[in-house]
């Protein structure tokens, strides 16, 4: 494996109270709405827009499955749509793979790159922080 | 084809102003947040909860692709997660296939059934109505 | 609901012996490879190409989830990629929603239309037949 | 970012001649059937089973999108279903995120872990090699 992880930016996301679906065929589902947040460098800055959610699942085997869809606005004014899926263990940071849909005039590197995120608790309850790195093939 | 369509319920959904991502690789993307709404019978009643969105796409070939995720609360108090995908032409009702994730104590027929929706404009701008039928094999 | 179902074509598909994954988190998974088949009118004719499979799942609630990906070749020589997802009950025909990816010079109506399939057993073990109708909004 | 990449195993996969769908709305699609292969340690050994494919796409922006679904059989006899999605540039190794569906009696770490793959050309034309690492949160 010669892949390298190059730090790109951090998403700090404020979350609303979860809405509980409860136990389903897939596990325990709760929907966690996104209130907004920030995008801080080095490679991208801007804000996380309110709207969207993490359709979060605790699977029967205990694994936590993250599936979030929401939008960013870069400092330059481009709106970028994010789909961030991850899988992890309770009580630990959760690895994710964020995918970015970008307007054609916007930051194309977000669209063609492959990224890895690390989602962890933020500074206060109801906040998470996702450190996003670009995966660089060797 | 011996499939029959049995009317199940209608979702009336109020939408916020779209947030424009603009032209992307996939087409013209706009995100249309969901403000809430109603679920009216015959087979299910309740409300559409605020939150989630339609990540709507106008494809380069002119087709409209609907991809919406949001939640309902039934009159009995069950929260049901909806993913509704559709494909249609501008200016016409859009066929969709809604998928429902249901808590285990809730309406299991929504979870095991196959449904077809017809999405059309509602009574006023910013409202859509989705007539949902269950597809019954012959 | 003013949707009408207009018969389009029938896929007759020959299947290999299933490969059992067995019981997983999602249910009982088996993979059923596709050996080939035919596409018979009225709206499209051709052959089902060997390759791909149905990654079939019997869910814990007994529902059968079909998820198949494979290719067709039309009589005119266009290769069309099919993703066919369905959900049904054991012992009954299974409603599906096939999605077609079509080369730009090929049959565009398959790409922009919304289709409904009805999957049932064929003339002999190891064969299924999918009657595909186009969903026409009213 | 405190994620670490722990080498897990390598998939060496032999591929058949691509079947060309050609230019579609999404880009240039070709389907590359999987003939079989090997799984070599350290953490898992076995074989790649024949069947499935990479539904490969060269996007209009030149990025290569890999989407492959196929099965492995471990030396212990468990059949594991793999979905491997990636995104990269022509002429370079392609980062991927493989997801493994595992029978409940089988290697659970494959089911709960988050993995990163690096797909590169193999020893001869028609072969690729995917070095899979487990992503370990810090």
């Amino acid at each position: 494996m010669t892949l390298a992880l190059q730090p790109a930016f951090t998403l700090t996301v404020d979350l609303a109270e979860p809405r509980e679906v409860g136990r389903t065929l897939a596990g325990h589902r709760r929907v966690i709405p996104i209130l907004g947040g920030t995008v801080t460098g080095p490679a991208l800055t801007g804000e996380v827009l309110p709207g969207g959610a993490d359709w979060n699942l605790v699977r029967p085997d205990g694994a936590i499955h993250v599936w979030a869809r929401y939008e960013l606005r870069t400092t330059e004014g481009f709106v970028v749509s994010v789909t961030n899926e991850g899988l992890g263990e309770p009580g630990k940071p959760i690895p994710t793979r964020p995918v970015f849909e970008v307007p054609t005039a916007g930051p194309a590197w977000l669209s063609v790159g492959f990224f890895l995120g690390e989602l962890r608790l933020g500074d206060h309850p109801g906040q998470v922080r996702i450190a996003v790195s670009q995966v660089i093939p060797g």
Side-chain angles (χ1 to χ4, degrees), chain A residues 94-112:
Chain A
I94 297 176
T96 72
R97 183 199 165 199
V99 173
F100 302 100
E101 189 184 39
V102 177
T104 47
W109 62 278
L110 278 177
S111 176
V112 300

Side-chain angles (χ1 to χ4, degrees), chain A residues 70-126:
Chain A
Y70 54 96
E71 277 69 44
L72 316 175
R73 184 186 288 121
T74 71
T75 302
E76 296 75 22
F78 297 112
V79 175
V80 173
S81 192
V82 182
T83 308
N84 191 25
E85 187 183 4
L87 188 64
E89 289 176 69
K92 293 198 181 174
I94 297 176
T96 72
R97 183 199 165 199
V99 173
F100 302 100
E101 189 184 39
V102 177
T104 47
W109 62 278
L110 278 177
S111 176
V112 300
F114 189 105
F115 296 88
L116 194 59
E118 182 180 26
L119 185 155
R120 54 173 72 233
L121 299 179
D123 290 337
H124 56 79

Side-chain angles (χ1 to χ4, degrees), chain A residues 15-80:
Chain A
L15 304 166
E17 283 295 305
R19 175 166 282 151
E20 298 286 333
V21 176
R23 190 157 71 89
T24 74
L25 270 187
H28 187 101
R29 176 82 63 191
R30 61 169 60 93
V31 184
I32 312 173
I34 288 169
L35 297 175
T38 60
V39 185
T40 50
L44 190 78
T45 59
E47 56 181 323
V48 176
L49 297 171
D54 171 13
W55 280 266
N56 194 274
L57 182 73
V58 180
R59 303 194 321 195
D61 61 1
I64 297 176
H65 183 257
V66 168
W67 194 96
R69 192 163 183 177
Y70 54 96
E71 277 69 44
L72 316 175
R73 184 186 288 121
T74 71
T75 302
E76 296 75 22
F78 297 112
V79 175
V80 173

